[in-house]
Amino acid sequence: MADEHPVKKNKPNTPSNKEGGEKVDWKQWKAQKKEEKRLRKESSLIRKLEKQKLKKEHEQEVQQEEKESKGRAYTLSVALPGSVMDNAQSPELRTYLAGQIARACAVFCVDEVVIFDEQGDSTRIEGEFRGVGKKGQACVQLARILQFLECPQYLRKSFFPKHQDLQFAGILNPLDSPHHMRIDEEMEFREGVVLDRPCRSRKGSFVNCGMRKEVQIDKQLQAGLRVTVHLDKNDNKEGKLYNGRVVAPHVPRTEGGLYWGYSVRLASCLSAVFTECPYKEGYDLTIGTSEKGTNADHVTLSPFKHMLVVFGGLQGLEASLDADENLNVTDPSVLFDLYLNSCPGQGSRTIRTEEAMLISLSDLRQKIAAVFSDTSSR
């Protein structure tokens, strides 16, 4: 019996011989399979990269939403006459009164304090400063004390030399705002002063930010300037210096949602409070306070970007209006979008300005929160 020849089986995924005994081009077949494999890998890699890109875009969108929701876009300004200082009976009480006003502004996150001359005399806020006294330049005294308290403690020696206006600064209560940081406190932003130290070309200036090490910023600036610094999160903590970049003073508020103190502005009269507004769009919501105003309990606020709240002195806003030559109106309510009485039915004949600030800002805080909770939910 003849030996049976084993039948040769084709390998999987290999072509069989064509009819007529044509020979298979194995080299071409292998090249084709290799190309198909390369295309599959390339397609898989493209899909993987697309997924990573979509994931990254989603993360960036989430971060952007968090940043936008975290920041505060609006500003709150208050204006009051410097003559409120004349209501104090001694230099110590004048200083303490200014400290009460500063504390009220910090507690309610006021971004700008405008001090105007109730008599409308511009010469009162110019020239030599006579220091704290019963009859001094009240506007300048109040402004200097407010600026002193707003400045972080580690920067005060750089910006406030010895002055009579600050003779009793030791009795002032600290603001303890977020930008008043301790030496070892870690924060994304810090206030600092540019140091008078040489730096290499293409390297930024050195800044004292109240930490154990100095910060080198991304720009060369004039020594003695106060700057807001954004610290590098990925910085080497073991290095000789920290690294950071200079940002606008509003960035901690608009991006970080932090209260970053207030600025102080002097105005020669009541009308200058409005005309010298530092914002390009001006104040889009102005509020006057008076016992003759509308009951604040029945008022709701409209959306705004820059709110201004104006307080009167001992004789109310009427006295400031009469002394201002630029204003030809007799009723102060026409100057404002809202003219409010935040304490109807008061039990005292008079409410002091520092008391009116606390009452009005406390009442407005809830109304402001209602405005922006409504806009964010849309």
Side-chain angles (χ1 to χ4, degrees):
M1 186 175 179
D3 295 336
E4 294 182 357
H5 296 287
V7 179
K8 187 176 181 180
K9 296 182 179 179
N10 290 329
K11 294 180 180 180
N13 299 327
T14 59
S16 58
N17 289 341
K18 297 181 180 179
E19 295 180 1
E22 291 183 8
K23 194 174 182 179
V24 176
D25 189 345
W26 292 101
K27 188 174 182 180
Q28 183 181 357
W29 180 81
K30 288 181 179 179
Q32 183 181 353
K33 291 298 178 184
K34 188 176 181 181
E35 179 66 15
E36 290 175 357
K37 186 177 181 181
R38 186 187 69 79
L39 291 173
R40 285 196 300 271
K41 284 185 177 180
E42 189 177 275
S43 178
S44 176
L45 181 60
I46 289 172
R47 287 196 299 270
K48 187 176 180 181
L49 290 173
E50 287 178 349
K51 286 182 180 179
Q52 290 178 349
K53 184 180 178 181
L54 290 172
K55 185 178 179 182
K56 188 175 181 180
E57 288 177 352
H58 177 67
E59 290 176 351
Q60 289 176 347
E61 288 176 0
V62 171
Q63 290 176 357
Q64 184 66 23
E65 288 176 0
E66 289 178 353
K67 182 185 284 188
E68 290 177 355
S69 62
K70 192 176 181 182
R72 175 165 64 90
Y74 71 88
T75 64
L76 174 60
S77 302
V78 299
L80 69 155
S83 60
V84 298
M85 296 279 279
D86 296 332
N87 202 28
Q89 291 78 25
S90 68
E92 294 91 340
L93 290 176
R94 289 168 73 91
T95 302
Y96 193 77
L97 173 59
Q100 287 181 295
I101 293 171
R103 284 283 303 172
C105 293
V107 167
F108 293 102
C109 300
V110 172
D111 302 295
E112 181 196 25
V113 184
V114 188
I115 303 166
F116 62 92
D117 195 321
E118 196 173 32
Q119 302 302 318
D121 185 1
S122 60
T123 59
R124 290 173 176 265
I125 59 173
E126 297 176 356
E128 295 295 327
F129 304 147
R130 289 176 292 176
V132 174
K134 290 186 178 179
K135 298 294 182 181
Q137 289 182 310
C139 292
V140 176
Q141 294 168 9
L142 178 56
R144 181 175 283 110
I145 296 171
L146 291 180
Q147 288 177 326
F148 176 82
L149 277 173
E150 186 277 336
C151 183
Q153 290 87 335
Y154 57 86
L155 296 180
R156 287 176 180 170
K157 287 184 179 180
S158 301
F159 296 107
F160 294 93
K162 188 176 180 180
H163 196 280
Q164 285 184 334
D165 282 354
L166 304 174
Q167 180 181 358
F168 300 103
I171 68 174
L172 294 169
N173 295 315
L175 300 189
D176 204 20
S177 296
H179 65 303
H180 290 199
M181 282 170 279
R182 282 66 173 172
I183 189 169
D184 292 321
E185 190 174 353
E186 293 187 2
M187 183 73 80
E188 187 177 2
F189 301 97
R190 267 188 179 263
E191 289 292 291
V193 57
V194 179
L195 300 176
D196 188 10
R197 276 186 50 187
C199 53
R200 297 178 183 177
S201 60
R202 298 185 181 180
K203 292 284 187 179
S205 302
F206 296 99
V207 177
N208 172 22
C209 288
M211 298 186 288
R212 299 189 186 277
K213 293 183 286 188
E214 294 170 358
V215 180
Q216 189 162 30
I217 56 177
D218 56 335
K219 297 177 182 177
Q220 289 190 5
L221 300 175
Q222 181 181 351
L225 287 177
R226 177 175 167 176
V227 291
T228 305
V229 178
H230 184 279
L231 297 174
D232 187 357
K233 291 182 180 179
N234 302 320
D235 204 2
N236 180 17
K237 303 299 182 184
E238 304 299 326
K240 294 182 179 180
L241 296 166
Y242 293 121
N243 293 310
R245 58 186 176 87
V246 177
V247 296
H250 66 78
V251 170
R253 170 181 60 83
T254 55
E255 294 186 7
L258 300 169
Y259 175 61
W260 213 245
Y262 52 77
S263 61
V264 180
R265 175 164 67 92
L266 286 169
S268 58
C269 54
L270 178 59
S271 60
V273 174
F274 302 91
T275 58
E276 298 173 3
C277 174
Y279 308 112
K280 291 181 180 179
E281 309 90 346
Y283 302 112
D284 52 358
L285 180 58
T286 56
I287 298 175
T289 59
S290 171
E291 62 179 4
K292 300 176 183 179
T294 306
N295 190 337
D297 296 338
H298 306 148
V299 173
T300 57
L301 303 182
S302 57
F304 64 91
K305 288 185 179 179
H306 306 292
M307 176 195 282
L308 171 68
V309 185
V310 182
F311 299 91
L314 299 177
Q315 299 174 355
L317 288 172
E318 289 79 6
S320 302
L321 189 66
D322 294 339
D324 195 332
E325 297 177 355
N326 300 318
L327 299 173
N328 297 320
V329 295
T330 56
D331 184 4
S333 64
V334 301
L335 298 176
F336 306 98
D337 298 317
L338 297 172
Y339 198 56
L340 303 179
N341 179 5
S342 54
C343 189
Q346 61 195 54
S348 173
R349 291 188 181 90
T350 57
I351 294 181
R352 297 169 65 95
T353 303
E354 65 272 22
E355 297 168 341
M357 289 183 67
L358 290 169
I359 297 168
S360 299
L361 293 176
S362 176
D363 185 42
L364 289 172
R365 182 187 65 82
Q366 300 176 4
K367 299 181 186 299
I368 293 171
V371 169
F372 288 94
S373 63
D374 291 341
T375 56
S376 61
S377 62
R378 291 175 186 174

